Amino acid sequence: MTTRALALFTVAASGMRLRVRLLAGVRDVDREYRAGRPRRDGKVVHGYFTSTFNASARYIGTIVLPADGCLAELVPHEVAHAVMHELERVDRADDERLATTIGLLCARVRAGLKARGVDA
């Protein structure tokens, strides 16, 4: 079950390209994530990352965010999932790349959202 996105754009940093899908609200994100199935625990999904399993894809995956959500919190949370997934494992020798990439991608996602009229 895919909800029509308000915006779809790609950001890049440190050799990683990440797609961003913006949905109207948290309810839309939750419904899409669950594919319409109810959750027994009553928890609501506010944003999520889905990886690209195709090795020839031009981006590492997609983060899905709600326009009415707490984007200051959700953007870094979902970007962290994306970068950790791409790096597969992060050790102390590589944590600087992790932190830098997360910071750059977050700034670019938020700039992309702002350019589309969403306060992030």
Side-chain angles (χ1 to χ4, degrees), residues 15 17 19 25 29 33 48 58 66-68 82 88 90 92 113:
R17 292 173 49 85
R19 283 181 23 152
V29 172
Y33 179 81
Y48 67 92
R58 296 175 53 188
D68 69 352
E88 293 179 348
V90 180
R92 295 177 74 179
L113 292 169

Side-chain angles (χ1 to χ4, degrees), residues 6-96:
L6 298 176
L8 177 64
F9 59 96
T10 303
V11 296
S14 301
M16 294 181 204
R17 292 173 49 85
L18 179 63
R19 283 181 23 152
V20 179
R21 286 188 66 235
L22 180 68
L23 303 184
V26 171
R27 293 171 92 191
D28 300 305
V29 172
D30 183 64
R31 189 178 315 116
E32 182 174 292
Y33 179 81
R34 293 181 294 103
R37 294 182 306 272
R39 283 184 69 150
R40 294 177 189 204
D41 61 7
K43 293 183 180 179
V44 175
V45 174
H46 290 253
Y48 67 92
F49 165 73
T50 183
S51 64
T52 303
F53 295 104
N54 182 348
S56 64
R58 296 175 53 188
Y59 49 89
I60 62 174
T62 303
I63 60 171
V64 180
L65 302 168
D68 69 352
C70 180
L71 296 172
E73 177 185 338
L74 291 170
V75 169
H77 179 96
E78 299 308 332
V79 168
H81 283 299
V83 174
M84 287 189 305
H85 174 81
E86 181 65 10
L87 294 178
E88 293 179 348
R89 102 179 160 75
V90 180
D91 57 29
R92 295 177 74 179
D94 201 21
D95 68 346
E96 193 60 35

